[in-house]
Amino acid sequence: TELADPTLFDRIVQELADAHVAPERLELEVTESAVMADGPTALATLARLRDHGVRIAIDDFGTGYASLIYLRKVPARTLKIDASFVHDLNTGGDASERSLIEAVTNLGRAFGMEVVGEGIETPHQHQALRELGCRLGQGYLFGRPMPEAAFRSWWHPRSASAD
């Protein structure tokens, strides 16, 4: 995968410089399988990026074969719970589903990570995640993908009211 490319670090650093973007403004999302496929090379690249200031997030957590060792070694700051788990909260989710989300949330926090629930589409899912300790989320409930110009006009009234 791309993480095995020895030029990846240099390319990202150059793109950030060319775009005049501070490394802290970039969050690189990687899946469990991408890191596991490239093992030590991927971990070394991610560590260099983290040390440079780039934020690393583990995306779609729970859909691969990650282990606790993987979570400990990946230099991630964010753990994103896969939308398939969040979707099941729509129907109330059985006790085991809710327990799993709560456990992943606690595990991520134990490793010093921010935990994000992905794919939140309903107020019920949002509330259930909050009750389970997952305070951050993303999904259509909050907004749909949009072009930059539309985002700026959507965001501007919100940022002005936050002052």
Side-chain angles (χ1 to χ4, degrees), residues 8-160:
L8 180 64
F9 173 81
D10 293 329
R11 287 190 346 231
I12 290 174
V13 169
Q14 187 61 54
E15 289 291 329
L16 288 168
D18 291 349
H20 305 289
V21 173
E24 299 79 19
R25 304 287 304 229
L26 175 64
E27 182 168 86
L28 181 64
E29 295 186 7
V30 296
T31 61
E32 301 169 47
S33 57
V35 175
M36 307 245 326
D38 295 322
T41 303
L43 291 173
T45 299
L46 293 173
R48 286 183 70 199
L49 288 166
R50 180 211 49 217
D51 293 345
H52 189 67
V54 174
R55 294 172 46 115
I56 308 296
I58 300 171
D59 195 25
D60 299 334
F61 185 77
T63 60
Y65 299 101
S67 68
L68 295 178
I69 291 171
Y70 166 84
L71 276 181
R72 188 181 71 203
K73 288 185 178 182
V74 174
R77 185 170 163 186
T78 305
L79 180 68
K80 300 179 93 178
I81 300 172
D82 187 68
S84 62
F85 296 107
V86 174
H87 181 266
D88 291 340
L89 292 173
N90 237 5
T91 59
D94 64 19
S96 64
E97 288 287 336
R98 295 175 65 83
S99 294
L100 181 63
I101 290 172
E102 186 174 32
V104 170
T105 300
N106 290 334
L107 186 62
R109 276 207 231 108
F111 282 100
M113 298 177 182
E114 295 176 334
V115 180
V116 178
E118 293 185 301
I120 301 172
E121 296 180 349
T122 68
H124 177 76
Q125 291 168 328
H126 183 227
Q127 182 60 34
L129 283 167
R130 291 178 61 88
E131 289 170 3
L132 295 170
C134 183
R135 295 184 303 266
L136 300 175
Q138 69 182 59
Y140 289 165
L141 177 65
F142 308 114
R144 296 197 176 262
M146 62 185 81
E148 180 183 357
F151 174 77
R152 287 183 185 278
S153 63
W154 174 84
W155 181 255
H156 182 68
R158 286 163 176 74
S159 61

